[in-house]
Amino acid sequence: MVLVIGGGVNGLSVAWGLASRGASVLVVDKGRIGGGASGIAGGIVRNYYRAGAITELVRMSVEMFEADPEAYGFRQVGYLAAVPEAQVEDLVAIRAQHDAVGYDSELVVGDAECREYLTWTWPDWDAPVAALLHERRGGWADSMQTVRHLATRAREAGVEIREDTEVVEFGGGQAVTRAGDRLGYDTLVLAPGPWAAQLVPEVELRYWKAQEGEFALPGAGLSGRAGGEAPVVHLDQSQPLRSDRDGRVLVDGPWGIYFRMGRTGTGITGGGLPVLLDSPDLDPYGPDNPAHAAEEGFQDFFTSGLAAALRRFRGRSADWKLTAAGGIVAHTPDNYPVCDWVGEDTYAIVDSGHGFKTLAIGRLAATEIADRQPDPRLEPFRADRFERGELLAASKGPYPWT
C-alpha cells in the first residue's frame, strides 16, 4: 500500500503513475483536492528556467498537456519572455538548453530586432527590450480543470482519494489522522505543497506570497494585429516603474510582470513580484484569507506595468477593476524542487511553486518509488544538494523562480 499525502498536481500525478504500475494507492488531503496552491495557480506552462536540469522535465510536462489539451484546459497560445540587457545571457543559455532537449523556441537579440518582433503583434508595444524568447509550445492551463483531470485518471487507474482527511502523525508504516483513524502503508509519499515545512522538515523553506489577479478594463484587451489570443507575456525591466496614475516611482530598480488574456477571452490575468513572508499562517488557504491576498499597492503596480508595455493602457489606471487573488508558496533555498527519499519508506516531493510546469515529476517519481532505482533526470533535485553547496543556477531576473 502506498499512502500519498496531498491532493494537488504532484500528489495526484504520482498516485496515477504508481497505480498504473499496479500499486495499491490511497491519496488523502486535509481539505479538498486542489484546495492548496494547485487549485488557484495561474497555471502558466513555460520552460523559462535558467537551470538546465529542469528543462527536460518541463518538456515532458508540456507533452502531457499536448496529449490531451481539452482535458487539462490547456491553451497553447505560447509564452514570450522579454528582458533587459542584464538578462540577455540568461535567454541565450535557456535557448541552448531548449535545443539540447529538442524543445522549440525562438530567440531574438537586439533592441531594434525585438521592437520589430513585438510591434508586429502589438503595434503599440513601447517597453524597451534587449532580448526575447518565444516558446510557441507554452501557454496556460486551467488550474482546477487540470486537478480534476488528474484525479479522474488516478481513480481510473484504481487510486482511492479521501478528502477532509488530515494526517497529524506518521512513521513506522502507520499514519494517524486528526479523526483518530490509522492508515497502514508500505510506502509514504509526501506531496503537501505549501505545507511542506510541517511534513518535510529536512528541507529548509522560505515563503512567498504570490501577487496575482483578474483585471477588467472596458474596451481594452491584449489582442494584437492578427487578432485571436495573445501569448502569455513575461516582461522584466531594469529602469524604475512609475505610476500610471500619478507619476510617482513605484519601484526604484528592476521589476517585472506577467500577463495573459482572461479565462473567458476578455480581461487580463496577471501577476507581479512576490512578497517574502516570515512564518505565515497557511490556513485558511487562498484569497479568502486576507493575509494571502495581494498587497494594497498591487493594482497600481500591475496596471502601471501594463501601461509601460502597451500604449493602449496609458492614462487608464482609474478605470481598471481588480479581482485580487493570491496564495502562499514554499520555496527551497535555490527555488527549485526537491524529489528524494527522506526516510527508508518515505519519499518527498517539494515542488517549490512549480507544480504546473513540472507535471512530469509525478511520473518520474512514481518510477523511482516503484523500482527503488534512482532516475538520473531527478538526481539534480535531491535534498542533500544544499548541504553539498550544489545549488541550481539562478537567473539575473527580479523573480525568485526563474
Side-chain angles (χ1 to χ4, degrees), residues 109-128:
V109 178
D111 296 350
E113 292 83 356
C114 290
R115 178 166 294 279
E116 180 182 11
Y117 192 100
L118 291 164
T119 56
W120 176 257
T121 299
W122 299 283
D124 60 334
W125 182 276
D126 207 30

Side-chain angles (χ1 to χ4, degrees), residues 202 340-347 372:
E202 295 84 356
D340 203 358
W341 291 98
V342 294
E344 185 175 347
D345 59 3
T346 305
Y347 191 96
R372 292 283 176 148

Side-chain angles (χ1 to χ4, degrees), residues 30 32 34-41 192-195 207-210 281-290 292 326-330:
K30 63 182 292 185
R32 58 177 177 81
S38 293
I40 64 171
W195 292 269
Y207 285 94
W208 294 87
K209 181 198 296 189
D281 186 0
L282 295 177
D283 298 298
Y285 187 83
D288 290 339
N289 184 336
H292 292 210
I328 295 174
V329 292

